Amino acid sequence: FEGGVTCSSPPFEGGARGGSLLGFHSGPGRGDMWQPVKLLKILGILGMMAVVALFSGLLTMKLFLVGGDVTVPELVGKDLREAGNLLKERDLRLRVEEQHHPQVPKGYIVSQKPTAHTMMKKAREVKVVVSLGQREVLVPDVVGRKVLQAEIVLQEKGLSGSEIVKVFSMRHPSGVVIAQSPSSFKRVWSGATV
């Protein structure tokens, strides 16, 4: 070939660096790191890492958004020990307040918050009010007070003044308490009627 260029390497060998047609180096000592097999291994590892990350994210979301919810059990009317066991089974905590109650026996739950069948996250607190039972109170002296005043005093002591009998009296003004039963300073259970 006259005036032409001569080629020292076979066709398709990639010119000066001796690379292949696809641009990958081949042969010993020529930078094996870009061989197609190694590239596929790297892509495979990256793909597996993406799958593991996706699975971990979905599992975490399920645990925090769905798996952590439990139903609050019915505790009203149960004793404190039974309520504690029911909450422990659901991974909930118990917070107790006590107060006297005229109808609920001592040691039994009067109310709860949140109410039964409410959904809530695990490890949260359920507040209950436990009855201390009835309490004894001294009946206050309400003779000589206006009826409305007497009812307020009785309510403050945890008593009821709902049984009012009206009578005519020339000695006492209208709307004033002239007698009471039980008598003042007698011990009665809270909630009793005077």
Side-chain angles (χ1 to χ4, degrees), residues 12-14 18-26 34-36 39:
F12 306 112
E13 286 263 330
S20 70
L21 177 65
L22 298 175
F24 296 111
H25 297 285
S26 61
W34 294 108
Q35 287 184 349
L39 182 61

Side-chain angles (χ1 to χ4, degrees), residues 25-127:
H25 297 285
S26 61
R30 294 209 175 177
D32 295 343
M33 72 184 254
W34 294 108
Q35 287 184 349
V37 173
K38 287 193 178 192
L39 182 61
L40 289 175
K41 282 183 184 179
I42 292 171
L43 289 175
I45 290 170
L46 289 174
M48 286 191 311
M49 289 172 60
V51 168
V52 168
L54 179 65
F55 179 73
S56 296
L58 291 173
L59 183 62
T60 302
M61 283 187 355
K62 182 177 181 178
L63 287 175
F64 283 105
L65 298 177
V66 177
D69 286 347
V70 292
T71 303
V72 177
E74 177 67 57
L75 303 175
V76 174
K78 297 186 176 9
D79 66 27
L80 200 52
R81 184 181 47 79
E82 184 180 359
N85 290 337
L86 287 170
L87 293 178
K88 189 175 182 180
E89 289 172 3
R90 290 163 176 83
D91 197 20
L92 296 171
R93 295 180 297 141
L94 181 64
R95 180 174 162 209
V96 178
E97 290 185 11
E98 297 177 319
Q99 65 181 219
H100 290 279
H101 196 278
Q103 286 91 24
V104 179
K106 182 178 182 177
Y108 286 85
I109 295 174
V110 176
S111 65
Q112 72 181 72
K113 191 173 186 176
T115 58
H117 312 295
T118 302
M119 296 297 290
M120 69 185 303
K121 299 283 182 201
K122 287 183 179 181
R124 296 277 171 96
E125 192 173 78
V126 177
K127 176 183 161 188

Side-chain angles (χ1 to χ4, degrees), residues 138-143 179-188 194:
L138 288 175
V139 176
D141 185 7
V142 292
V143 174
Q180 71 181 57
S181 176
S183 59
S184 57
F185 306 112
K186 184 175 180 181
R187 290 191 174 275
V188 296
V194 177

